[in-house]
Amino acid sequence: MLNIGVIGAGRIGAIHAANVAASPKARLTWVCDPVPGAAARLAEFGARASLDPAEVIAADDVDAIVVCSPTPTHVGLILAGVEIGKAVLCEKPVDLDSDRARECQQAVEAAAGKVMIGFNRRFDPTFAQVHARLRDGEIGKIEQLTIVSRDPSAPPVSYIAQSGGIFRDMTIHDFDMANFFLGPIETVLALGQNVVDPQIAEAGDSDAAVVLLKAASGAVGTIINSRRCAYGYDQRLEAFGSLGMLEGRNQHATSVALSTSTFSQAANRVQDFFLQRYAEAYRLELDAFIEAVAGNGEFSPSLADGVAALALADAALESSKTGLAVAPVGGIAEATG
Ligand SMILES: NC(=O)c1ccc[n+]([C@@H]2O[C@H](COP(=O)([O-])OP(=O)(O)OC[C@H]3O[C@@H](n4cnc5c(N)ncnc54)[C@H](O)[C@@H]3O)[C@@H](O)[C@H]2O)c1
């Protein structure tokens, strides 16, 4: 039984805390949030509540921490955990600054720290199966990857202002998937758009984007993002290879389909947002982390994967500003997958 402390009791912290509490392999011993009352809300799962991350990390009944606090706190909490030998599952992105993330990676590797990054989409059963069947050779060698990732609605501009921008905050998931499917990326060409909310443009960020990626293998990836989508949370992935295509399609609350003599309706509305769409992925991600701590598997996605995705985000931001194709810095770090 792995004793886990969850740090940060917001949106994603609530998901991880519930999954730890429900896991037969783990015990939720602590929840921490500096906002009075926030941790106590999640401590209903039987955990103790704290306002202080240091108290939770040091606790004897914490073997591992799940870091769900805002991005600027991630590096400090990863290092604090690793320093005293605690395993860490940290939410994406590692940091908003690539240099800081790389320094963190070096420090963790030097200490042989056990750190996994929360790129949950790798664990989505649909996308994981596309990946596994590609690896099994069902569609031959991958030539083109297309990822569509659109949120139902834009977050408040106050969130945008501290998010690090669309590429580091939102596309970061897709950059990790591109690394996962295509291997090292050599070139990034990005076009930002402002079509959703003028306040996002005023904050200096794009609210939609299209990114082209050229992998060292010669394969090309396309990522299509929008902060707004009228029909729900649009999450699709297509791998095209020499022998065919594998598609991960949108999922719907039910699969009821109506067909009449004149009309055929495939299904009802796509799922609302990440909480529903990736519920199973978060559970499987946690399970992979628990198994890695027990010595059954790698800490993957790794901190190196987190740094590699951030390098692509930096390159995309530069490309969207200059209009030029950009090589990611340090850039073609070998991603695990
Ligand atoms: N993988 C995913 O699908 C996914 C989804 C959402 C968010 N995230 C990531 O998770 C992180 C949190 O996002 P969120 O949407 O849950 O934010 P949120 O604002 O809902 O929650 C963050 C919580 O952390 C608390 N907090 C602030 N400083 C803290 C500290 N030093 N120690 C402990 N807690 C602290 C806040 O009070 C808040 O309750 C971000 O890095 C975000 O990028 C990942």
Side-chain angles (χ1 to χ4, degrees):
M1 207 42 108
L2 188 71
N3 289 325
I4 296 182
V6 167
I7 299 187
R11 291 186 308 170
I12 199 75
I15 294 172
H16 287 304
N19 286 340
V20 172
S23 170
K25 302 174 187 170
R27 191 181 299 119
L28 182 68
T29 48
W30 287 84
V31 178
C32 163
D33 198 296
V35 173
R41 270 199 303 279
L42 296 186
E44 68 184 59
F45 295 115
R48 282 199 271 177
S50 170
L51 299 173
D52 178 13
E55 180 187 19
V56 172
I57 295 169
D60 287 339
D61 57 352
V62 168
D63 309 313
I65 54 170
V66 181
V67 176
C68 308
S69 45
T71 301
T73 67
H74 290 180
V75 165
L77 292 168
I78 290 172
L79 294 176
V82 164
E83 196 181 339
I84 55 167
K86 307 278 166 104
V88 182
L89 169 59
C90 180
E91 265 309 332
K92 51 54 65 177
V94 177
D95 196 74
L96 296 180
D97 182 82
S98 275
D99 289 340
R100 199 156 173 256
R102 237 175 260 120
E103 282 163 26
C104 176
Q105 180 194 345
Q106 283 159 8
V108 167
E109 286 173 0
K114 299 168 178 174
V115 178
M116 182 169 145
I117 300 300
F119 286 125
N120 52 291
R121 293 182 193 180
R122 292 193 187 202
F123 297 92
D124 173 69
T126 299
F127 296 157
Q129 192 182 122
V130 171
H131 188 265
R133 291 171 70 170
L134 171 68
R135 285 289 152 99
D136 286 347
E138 258 183 78
I139 60 163
K141 194 166 168 283
I142 189 165
E143 295 168 355
Q144 294 170 336
L145 175 76
T146 307
I147 299 172
V148 176
S149 176
R150 299 185 176 107
D151 285 353
S153 56
V157 76
S158 55
Y159 173 89
I160 296 281
Q162 50 78 47
S163 70
I166 191 168
F167 298 116
R168 294 190 188 107
D169 179 54
M170 181 175 171
T171 327
I172 194 90
H173 279 292
D174 309 308
F175 289 135
D176 178 64
M177 291 299 271
N179 276 327
F180 188 43
F181 275 80
L182 298 178
I185 304 294
E186 283 183 348
T187 314
V188 181
L189 183 62
L191 288 174
Q193 295 172 277
N194 285 100
V195 287
V196 176
D197 180 350
Q199 283 188 306
I200 296 180
E202 279 163 30
D205 195 9
S206 304
D207 51 32
V210 177
V211 183
L212 289 177
L213 305 164
K214 184 154 185 290
S217 68
V220 169
T222 308
I223 297 170
I224 301 170
N225 285 160
S226 177
R227 289 280 196 190
R228 178 256 290 120
C229 178
Y231 47 88
Y233 191 38
D234 192 6
Q235 298 289 293
R236 289 174 281 147
L237 181 150
E238 175 193 297
F240 176 83
S242 47
L243 301 178
M245 173 175 74
L246 285 159
E247 277 181 284
R249 294 183 176 159
N250 270 327
Q251 290 168 20
H252 303 260
T254 75
S255 57
V256 176
L258 168 72
S259 296
T260 68
S261 59
T262 56
F263 179 79
S264 178
Q265 181 196 35
N268 57 9
R269 193 178 186 274
V270 301
Q271 287 173 326
D272 280 344
F273 207 7
F274 61 86
L275 204 124
Q276 298 82 16
R277 174 64 178 81
Y278 291 120
E280 186 60 10
Y282 295 121
R283 273 193 288 275
L284 293 167
E285 170 185 86
L286 178 71
D287 196 63
F289 174 67
I290 294 168
E291 289 295 338
V293 175
N296 307 319
E298 303 288 307
F299 288 90
S300 174
S302 66
L303 206 39
D305 293 323
V307 168
L310 208 50
L312 294 181
D314 289 350
L317 182 60
E318 190 186 333
S319 173
S320 72
K321 285 182 176 163
T322 61
L324 301 173
V326 175
V329 173
I332 56 170
E334 189 74 52
T336 59

